């Protein structure tokens, strides 16, 4: 039973068309705080490129896996720029070749940013475990869930009504 969302980790996929670029780290002030930023031991500020592709993203035969190259660009930028760095990854055939000849190409980069230190991560996971254990042993858990559902029902109904009204206004 693996967890699909890890506490203290943000995952994002950035895409752009050929001849433009994506910016890793833009707006993440602590992105390059640690020497472990690009796949090290997992300290705070750790950024890891999970996947990067260039070409026709919908056709695996006509795209190139550039994950290792993008990770290397990140490591070089961190070594050169230090804390607070950002990395521009251009979508150009000059760098990545032409895996989709005579087709419009795109760049896609998926990365994870660990924004908690290992110690903070462990403390948060321990707290989550305690809260889950308490909730599961609560004698009135079923009643509490039913009350929560009743409290949320009017808000959900109002939201659905607003969406329906907005949809009929645009017709």
């Amino acid at each position: 039973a693996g967890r699909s969302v890890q506490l203290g980790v943000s995952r994002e996929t950035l895409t752009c068309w050929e001849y433009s670029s994506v910016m890793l780290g833009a707006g993440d002030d602590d992105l390059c705080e640690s020497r472990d930023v690009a796949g090290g031991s997992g300290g705070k500020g750790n950024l890891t490129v999970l996947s990067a592709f260039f070409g026709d993203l919908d056709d695996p035969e006509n795209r190139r896996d550039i994950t290792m190259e993008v990770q290397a660009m990140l490591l070089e930028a961190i070594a050169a720029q230090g804390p607070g760095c950002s990395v521009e990854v251009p979508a150009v055939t000059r760098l990545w070749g032409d895996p989709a000849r005579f087709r419009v190409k795109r760049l896609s980069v998926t990365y994870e940013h660990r924004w908690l230190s290992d110690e903070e991560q462990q403390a948060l996971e321990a707290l989550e475990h305690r809260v889950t254990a308490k909730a599961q042993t609560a004698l009135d858990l079923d009643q509490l869930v039913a009350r929560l559902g009743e409290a949320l029902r009017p808000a959900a109904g109002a939201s659905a009504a607003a969406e329906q009204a907005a949809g009929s206004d645009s017709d």
Side-chain angles (χ1 to χ4, degrees), residues 60-72:
E61 296 293 318
N62 289 293
R63 70 179 184 204
R64 180 168 171 233
D65 184 342
I66 57 171
T67 305
M68 299 303 289
E69 292 95 327
V70 173
Q71 187 71 25

Side-chain angles (χ1 to χ4, degrees), residues 13 33 45-46 49 68 83 89-90 92 102 108 114 116 127 129 134 148 152 156:
T13 299
E33 263 181 21
N46 186 346
V49 176
M68 299 303 289
V89 182
V92 293
F102 304 118
S108 173
R114 288 191 61 177
L116 293 177
L127 178 61
H129 179 71
K134 286 255 188 210
L148 179 61
L152 293 176

